[in-house]
Amino acid sequence: VEQTYIMVKPDGVQRGLVGEIISRFEKKGFKLTGLKLFQCPKDLAEEHYKDLTSRPFFPKLITYITSGPVVCMAWEGVGVVASARKLIGSTDPLQAEPGTIRGDLAVQTGRNVVHGSDSPENGKREIALWFKEGEVCHWTPALALWISE
Ligand code: GTP
Ligand code: MG
């Protein structure tokens, strides 16, 4: 089954949006398999966003992500990677559709409240990067058969 790494960024935590953001994934029907509040060290932020190293906004991005605690999450489900990206909305919150997390809750790319993995491979890579062995919990939701047949 597909897995994705979702993270409430420091602005989302400071603004009290953690519950709202978790709710959207819960209500959709995905399964939460990992969850923690965490102060991200600089080297981890740099590794997570290593594909963006050469971009002009990279130093600002690292400052942003390490500026306060984040909420790290692993979510599981059929098609969860692409679906979570849809629920999150476009990178620029002003372009994000109403009804999406960024479309409803943010106004600027540099403060776009949440991260979601962009491929199943990166979902696996990022969960392994942000969670230690034993922090990810595999369980059977009692309502599973009411969510997918
Ligand atoms: P993530 O889910 O966080 O990976 O966002 P994304 O996949 O929608 O965008 P991308 O991976 O291209 O960029 C990662 C993050 O870098 C974005 O979510 C923004 O927080 C930040 N970022 C991207 N482009 C810009 C930019 O032009 N300016 C600033 N300040 N930040 C940017
Ligand atoms: Mg990205």
Side-chain angles (χ1 to χ4, degrees), residues 12-96:
V13 175
Q14 290 286 357
R15 292 176 56 203
L17 299 175
V18 172
E20 163 88 29
I21 291 170
I22 292 175
S23 268
R24 296 198 178 205
F25 296 99
E26 278 188 321
K27 287 174 184 166
K28 176 72 174 170
F30 293 125
K31 177 166 71 174
L32 183 64
T33 57
L35 176 67
K36 65 180 176 185
L37 184 78
F38 181 64
Q39 173 62 54
C40 174
K42 191 163 181 264
D43 58 346
L44 177 57
E46 288 169 348
E47 176 64 22
H48 174 78
Y49 280 125
K50 66 179 178 192
D51 292 349
L52 302 174
T53 310
S54 64
R55 307 295 286 276
F57 58 82
F58 186 75
K60 260 172 58 178
L61 175 58
I62 299 307
T63 301
Y64 166 42
I65 294 301
T66 58
S67 64
V70 296
V71 172
C72 309
M73 292 180 271
W75 288 90
E76 193 176 289
V78 175
V80 69
V81 171
S83 177
R85 297 272 293 180
K86 276 195 177 174
L87 292 173
I88 289 170
S90 304
T91 306
D92 177 355
L94 292 184
Q95 303 302 320

Side-chain angles (χ1 to χ4, degrees), residues 3 5 33-39 41 44 72-74 124-138:
Q3 295 180 318
Y5 177 66
T33 57
L35 176 67
K36 65 180 176 185
L37 184 78
F38 181 64
Q39 173 62 54
L44 177 57
C72 309
M73 292 180 271
K124 275 195 199 129
R125 175 183 85 88
E126 292 168 5
I127 289 168
L129 191 61
W130 288 86
F131 287 99
K132 291 180 205 150
E133 192 104 349
E135 286 183 335
V136 176
C137 185
H138 296 283

